Amino acid sequence: MSAAMDAPAGQRAALIADALAGLTAPRKTLPCKWLYDAEGCQLFEAITRLPEYYPTRTEVRILTEEAASIAEAVGPGRAVVEFGPGDGAKAALLLAGLDRPAAYVPVDIAPEWLEEAASRVALARPGLPVLPVVADFTMPFALPKRLGAAPRLGFFPGSTIGNFEPEGAVAFLCRARMTLGAGARLLLGADLVKAPAVLEAAYDDAQGVTAAFDLNLLHRLNREAGADFDIGAFRHRAVWNAALERIEMHLVAERAQTVRLAGRTIRFAEGETIHTESSHKYRPERLANLAASAGWRISRHWTDAKGLFSVWLLDA
């Protein structure tokens, strides 16, 4: 599988371009996709094991307890295309329950993390074709020709859909429908609206793992883009935006300062923030409207007993 793991040309240039565009805007932002280098991926996996972070264990419980129901609804012989596979554990769990899956195609921007996910699934499912694709799944990309005519099941767990603004979420769902093709289905994880205190704790844990994950983005810019961020001059903050029903992660400048990046000088006022991630939470009717706007039809959905998280099956 190693031959498929070469990083796409221009990734560093894309990182610099995104950073310059976001950090010179009136309200500073950085795209959350750049949080996930090798170190960021490891930190995120540590986050998923924290007591405050309920989404991963709740979604895994749904996938486990509803495995037979999900398999029946999905149908046999589908090639599973996962957008952003993480460590591959959820895919291995899903594939174990499906009826005669045809192949597994993990798609991720981080080659080193993609290889780990692909290897995990290959070990768990001997004989299943595992065809990793290094790509930014927020952009158009081609599926491996080896899939042939096998019907496709997109898999987008973890409520990663919530990292998009509403228009971006619709755009992603439209692209996914076109990439997967006619007759495709999509299994989508979506976090639900709940008490702000529960949400804020999940994104600002007592051990500081989420803070390290957020601050790693500045380390990455220093390593890969030649920036000179003083990491100690920023702190992590997570807040619930009730009007937009989303958790926001910010890096807050502790003092006025200047940063050099790709020959540009970027100034920060004391207290100014870099908005690094949004995580939208959903009410069922909002999710249904989002799917319909992208041309998907809701087939089934499953939730846990406490109503914390949901898994949706969409038909193209």
Side-chain angles (χ1 to χ4, degrees):
M1 287 177 285
S2 297
M5 298 299 164
D6 295 335
Q11 190 174 112
R12 179 176 176 272
L15 169 63
I16 292 172
D18 282 352
L20 287 175
L23 295 177
T24 58
R27 299 188 66 178
K28 293 180 171 63
T29 64
L30 287 169
C32 65
K33 67 183 180 182
W34 298 115
L35 289 162
Y36 296 92
D37 63 350
E39 178 67 15
C41 288
Q42 291 176 7
L43 285 165
F44 181 73
E45 291 307 316
I47 288 169
T48 67
R49 296 188 291 271
L50 293 168
E52 300 97 328
Y53 195 79
Y54 63 86
T56 300
R57 62 176 174 268
T58 307
E59 185 175 36
V60 165
R61 188 179 306 122
I62 294 169
L63 292 172
T64 302
E65 294 177 354
E66 302 291 350
S69 176
I70 291 170
E72 181 182 8
V74 165
R78 291 199 173 254
V80 176
V81 179
E82 184 173 16
F83 304 95
D87 65 358
K90 291 177 187 175
L93 180 61
L94 174 67
L95 287 159
L98 293 182
D99 183 6
R100 291 167 285 140
Y104 173 60
V105 182
V107 183
D108 204 289
I109 198 171
E112 60 275 39
W113 199 248
L114 183 61
E115 185 160 14
E116 182 172 339
S119 297
R120 177 190 285 262
V121 172
L123 286 171
R125 300 285 301 178
L128 180 73
V130 176
L131 311 170
V133 175
V134 178
D136 178 354
F137 62 74
T138 68
M139 305 293 289
F141 68 92
L143 292 174
K145 292 181 179 179
R146 279 183 59 190
L147 288 184
R152 283 75 188 268
L153 172 70
F155 186 39
F156 199 39
S159 203
T160 307
I161 190 69
N163 293 147
F164 295 101
E165 296 302 313
E167 61 275 14
V170 171
F172 166 78
L173 291 172
C174 285
R175 280 192 301 271
R177 185 167 53 83
M178 290 186 288
T179 299
L180 295 168
R185 289 178 169 156
L186 176 66
L187 196 64
L188 176 71
D191 200 5
L192 301 175
V193 173
K194 58 187 65 66
V198 174
L199 290 164
E200 289 179 353
Y203 289 82
D204 194 5
D205 62 279
Q207 296 179 50
V209 182
T210 312
F213 171 67
D214 205 8
L215 288 163
N216 180 63
L217 183 50
L218 303 186
H219 284 292
R220 183 176 190 181
L221 289 171
N222 285 353
R223 288 192 304 267
E224 298 182 27
D228 62 354
F229 281 96
D230 176 359
I231 312 301
F234 289 84
R235 62 179 172 85
H236 166 74
R237 184 173 75 195
V239 295
W240 172 245
N241 185 324
L244 298 177
E245 294 190 324
R246 71 187 190 190
I247 280 281
E248 295 177 1
M249 295 202 325
H250 293 260
L251 292 171
V252 184
E254 299 272 58
R255 55 175 172 77
Q257 57 195 285
T258 59
V259 173
R260 296 286 294 174
L261 172 65
R264 299 281 295 276
T265 298
I266 300 164
R267 292 178 171 81
F268 290 86
E270 182 179 355
E272 189 174 9
T273 78
I274 307 170
H275 185 175
T276 55
E277 183 178 86
S278 292
S279 186
H280 293 79
K281 308 306 175 184
Y282 295 97
R283 301 179 190 275
E285 60 274 17
R286 182 182 171 204
L287 197 285
N289 290 336
L290 197 72
S293 297
W296 292 94
R297 179 179 60 83
I298 291 174
S299 175
R300 292 282 303 276
H301 80 280
W302 300 266
T303 60
D304 61 289
K306 294 182 179 179
L308 297 174
F309 201 90
S310 59
V311 174
W312 300 73
L313 182 63
L314 311 181
D315 287 348

